[in-house]
Amino acid sequence: MKEIILIKNGELALKGLNRRTFEDMMIKNMRRRFEHIGKFTFKASQSTIMVESEDENADFDTAFEAAKKVFGIAGLSRAAATEKDIDKIKEVAKEYLEDELMFAKTFKVNAKRSDKNFPLKSPEICMEVGGFLLENFPHLTVDVHNPDIIVTVEVRDTHVYIHGNQHKGAGGMPVGSAGKAALLISGGIDSPVAGWMMAKRGLRLMGIHFAAPPYTSELAEKKVHELTRKVAAYSGRIKLYIVEFTKIQETIKDECPEELFTIIMRRIMMKTAEKIARREDCEALITGESLGQVASQTMKALACTDRATDMPVFRPCIGMDKGEIVKISREIDSFETSILPYEDCCTVFTPKHPKTRPSVEEVEKAESAVDFTEMIEEAVNSARFILID
Ligand code: ATP
Ligand code: MG
């Protein structure tokens, strides 16, 4: 039986003249994501994208799972394709949806007829197919308001497509439609979630990770690769920069007041990240900060961090509880990796009593004891990157 995936656009539908561009972008993202799964073709018509394959053995299971992670998609279904013949439609509905229909108690048939030449009108298709399914699955009853399964029959230009309940898509906007930003990614729970949230709003992501060898290990870095991979399953490829931060951290520790260590370190992180971000045409920075979560995330501390860069800093987790962030991290499968116990450069040299209400003046003054320009330049120039899919 010929199978296809039917994709329904999400917010795309609202975008008027931009719709085509957004749709093309979504198809381009899907095409890239499907490349290693098999040979698929993509066809857009009437706010639906049809994903087909000439290859009989194409791996639709994997393709369908991958499609669920593509932003811009509101809903998606696996459907069986058949000829425009009512008897064929009935047989295929019975066969293709057998498992689901056996499991359901109630159902209804929903017909969409975009080919107006098809001899039966939508209500007639519903009657015919509904009657046939009742005969073949006598345990079923019809419920038009709240059925367990909606059997949908779509009569389109070349084929008829039959599917059961639609699955929820990842929602949001196609990655790339809103531009590109740099995610400051640590080994923690919050930053992968922050990246996922902004990719969902259409940002293409680049990653920047600060490592402090030998204080941080190779395993800690591998963990960040893995977390980036979890985000990339949704956002598409991420170019991840690894920036060596040891010398800067040691200098802050030696030259600046201990209680301001973290806040100064975060400011230098921002400055360094901004340089790499600009070089890579990113237009914003993204962090996983959440108001009040730790000393460096009070409003005063965030104000100090903000002043270190001219770029907009997106903090999508700012108003979320830890529990809410954890919930998303479980959904996107990054949680188990995030809680692996490797050190992060942020936890190296953490002061016992960090200042929670630093003033910008005080921090800038303390920071000016050292000229970080050259060290930042060196960190930027020696940064290496890897591409993560
Ligand atoms: P996370 O769970 O994301 O690590 P956190 O609650 O541990 O966050 P901090 O360690 O204060 O908070 O870091 C705040 C944010 O700063 C992180 O969400 C991340 O965006 C960025 N950040 C922290 N450490 C690093 C790092 N080593 N490399 C890159 N970015 C970092
Ligand atoms: Mg952290």
Side-chain angles (χ1 to χ4, degrees):
M1 196 178 303
K2 185 178 156 60
E3 243 193 327
I4 77 161
I5 300 174
L6 289 175
I7 306 257
K8 306 286 177 187
N9 299 341
E11 270 182 56
L12 292 188
L14 304 172
K15 290 290 164 188
L17 287 177
N18 285 332
R19 209 187 98 202
R20 263 311 290 274
T21 325
F22 280 60
E23 210 167 65
D24 288 349
M25 212 166 235
M26 205 163 89
I27 291 177
K28 201 169 127 203
N29 291 343
M30 267 196 283
R31 191 167 276 140
R32 218 178 285 156
R33 216 72 71 76
F34 281 33
E35 243 165 27
H36 64 279
I37 305 173
K39 259 195 145 62
F40 293 89
T41 58
F42 301 83
K43 210 164 60 194
S45 97
Q46 295 149 340
S47 70
T48 300
I49 296 166
M50 287 178 273
V51 186
E52 301 179 51
S53 183
E54 296 301 324
D55 177 3
E56 293 237 319
N57 301 314
D59 184 356
F60 271 92
D61 290 341
T62 308
F64 196 62
E65 286 312 306
K68 281 188 193 163
K69 295 181 174 162
V70 174
F71 291 126
I73 296 177
L76 66 172
S77 326
R78 272 173 86 156
T82 186
E83 291 161 45
K84 296 186 184 179
D85 173 296
I86 190 65
D87 291 325
K88 289 253 168 61
I89 295 173
K90 290 179 190 171
E91 274 308 322
V92 169
K94 176 185 150 204
E95 244 178 76
Y96 187 64
L97 299 175
E98 184 171 9
D99 290 350
E100 284 167 76
L101 289 166
M102 290 298 288
F103 202 65
K105 290 198 179 71
T106 57
F107 83 114
K108 81 167 181 182
V109 180
N110 175 19
K112 295 179 190 165
R113 193 180 63 131
S114 56
D115 170 12
K116 302 295 177 204
N117 294 320
F118 190 72
L120 299 178
K121 297 211 169 69
S122 296
E124 293 164 338
I125 301 173
C126 292
M127 291 280 285
E128 287 274 341
V129 176
F132 182 77
L133 293 178
L134 278 172
E135 272 167 38
N136 283 277
F137 301 91
H139 70 285
L140 285 177
T141 52
V142 174
D143 179 347
V144 290
H145 299 297
N146 193 20
D148 294 334
I149 172 170
I150 300 176
V151 175
T152 301
V153 179
E154 301 192 22
V155 184
R156 288 177 170 266
D157 50 356
T158 60
H159 287 85
V160 177
Y161 302 103
I162 296 155
H163 62 85
N165 290 337
Q166 177 168 293
H167 293 245
K168 206 165 167 280
M173 314 275 274
V175 167
S177 62
K180 189 165 120 185
L183 169 67
L184 280 76
I185 184 161
S186 66
I189 296 169
D190 309 330
S191 44
V193 170
W196 177 85
M197 287 174 81
M198 295 317 299
K200 186 174 185 185
R201 292 314 300 161
L203 286 181
R204 187 164 297 293
L205 301 180
M206 193 191 80
I208 301 178
H209 175 69
F210 295 95
Y215 304 104
T216 59
S217 65
E218 208 169 300
L219 280 174
E221 189 187 316
K222 285 268 162 3
K223 174 184 172 183
V224 173
H225 297 181
E226 186 55 26
L227 285 175
T228 307
R229 200 166 292 119
K230 299 289 184 188
V231 180
Y234 292 86
S235 69
R237 170 175 286 183
I238 296 177
K239 184 174 185 178
L240 173 66
Y241 275 93
I242 309 290
V243 185
E244 203 169 297
F245 218 48
T246 318
K247 191 170 157 197
I248 287 173
Q249 285 189 283
E250 283 174 342
T251 308
I252 302 172
K253 180 175 175 283
D254 293 342
E255 309 292 337
C256 302
E258 192 194 340
E259 74 273 16
L260 296 179
F261 171 85
T262 310
I263 195 74
I264 293 176
M265 179 191 71
R266 299 205 48 77
R267 283 169 52 88
I268 309 292
M269 270 188 181
M270 291 306 212
K271 291 183 187 198
T272 312
E274 174 176 343
K275 281 215 149 50
I276 299 175
R278 287 202 190 279
R279 208 170 62 182
E280 292 281 346
D281 295 324
C282 294
E283 293 174 89
L285 302 176
I286 303 166
T287 77
E289 287 159 313
S290 166
L291 188 63
Q293 200 186 78
V294 288
S296 62
Q297 296 174 25
T298 62
M299 199 152 59
K300 286 242 185 304
L302 290 171
C304 292
T305 314
D306 253 355
R307 284 287 193 94
T309 171
D310 288 333
M311 270 192 164
V313 181
F314 295 153
R315 301 179 169 96
C317 301
I318 198 73
M320 293 167 78
D321 295 345
K322 196 71 185 185
E324 293 168 327
I325 302 172
V326 165
K327 184 162 177 274
I328 296 181
S329 85
R330 286 189 193 278
E331 280 164 13
I332 64 173
D333 193 34
S334 58
F335 183 73
E336 296 299 330
T337 309
S338 288
I339 59 173
L340 294 173
Y342 304 121
E343 65 297 323
D344 180 65
C345 82
C346 274
T347 49
V348 179
F349 310 139
T350 327
K352 276 206 189 67
H353 303 290
K355 196 150 193 169
T356 53
R357 299 172 61 81
S359 74
V360 177
E361 295 71 32
E362 152 188 40
V363 171
E364 281 179 349
K365 183 155 174 272
E367 194 179 294
S368 68
V370 186
D371 184 0
F372 286 100
T373 325
E374 248 173 57
M375 274 181 266
I376 292 176
E377 206 58 43
E378 197 184 314
V380 169
N381 291 333
S382 63
R384 39 191 178 87
F385 70 81
I386 53 170
L387 298 174
I388 297 201
D389 287 288

